[in-house]
Amino acid sequence: MHFGKTVFTQVMEWVHPEQFRRCVVRYQGNYKVSNFSCWEQFLAMGFAQMTFRESLADIEICLRSRGRQLYHMGFQSSIAHSTLADANATRDWRIYADLAEGLIRRARKLYAHESLEVELEHTIYALDSTTIDLCLSLFPWARFRSTKAAVKLHTLLDVRGPIPTMISISEGKQADVQILDKLIIEPGAFYVMDRGYIDFQRLFRFISIRPLVPQHQLVMWIRGLGIGCEFCKQFCQRDLLKDVYAQNL
């Protein structure tokens, strides 16, 4: 019989207890909580993510089937469907958002010097979105079409890793290009995106914060948007830069 730590426990050890405690205290997550703490909620949802559970009932059944291992996994009490549902509905989501930001910073440091197929010292980001279908009867606030509900998940991915550096959830009807207004642009970085993000007034921010961008970087950036080579040539001429944007504002 194996007496070592479970794989799940070893993965969760990467989350420092003090880091998590500070996030909980910051938003009073365990205020008036007698059982099923924020840590146990995090463990339950982390287990669900790693084992591809599809519902709260699925999480409950799976965890209860491993009752003898719950304590070694970090749980102090058994998992009930209603308890987990209440915790997900009432606990402050910012606890886990702050925790995720801390973990992302740690992960990016680990992959900072990972080699890419192209020789670039700068950071490369990939920006895209995906539509997540929802049940209209359960999520009437997320109406997407007459018979369907949906939300849109926008993700900015650091290609080294790859590691998500920004995740934003919006209405399903929101245009992809609007997420550019929320981006904190990193000077000198490459941003790869498709045609859905072509808006010259918004894209001007990418150039205005770094006026000394090399020509090859501009060409790669614009070609990634699917714009013709002749436009790239004109765009990269510094004297015409403002004129090109002025025509498209």
Side-chain angles (χ1 to χ4, degrees), residues 218-230:
L218 280 174
V219 171
M220 290 181 62
W221 176 64
I222 301 172
R223 283 181 180 173
L225 297 175
I227 302 176
C229 295
E230 184 60 31

Side-chain angles (χ1 to χ4, degrees), residues 50-67:
M50 294 179 195
T51 57
F52 304 99
R53 300 301 100 193
E54 297 181 351
S55 65
L56 295 180
D58 194 6
I59 299 173
E60 177 188 19
I61 294 171
C62 190
L63 285 175
R64 287 197 172 189
S65 67
R66 315 301 298 178

Side-chain angles (χ1 to χ4, degrees), residues 99-118:
L99 176 65
E101 291 178 0
L103 294 175
I104 288 173
R105 285 194 295 269
R106 288 176 57 189
R108 293 191 68 186
K109 290 180 181 179
L110 295 175
Y111 289 93
H113 303 290
E114 182 178 276
S115 60
L116 297 172
E117 294 183 4
V118 291

Side-chain angles (χ1 to χ4, degrees), residues 22-23 39-41 51 65 74 85 87 96 100 111 147 166 177 187 197 206 226 232:
R22 290 178 180 177
C23 294
W39 176 248
E40 290 181 277
Q41 179 193 8
T51 57
S65 67
Y96 307 104
Y111 289 93
T147 59
M166 189 280 293
V177 72
Y197 297 93
F206 289 77
C232 294

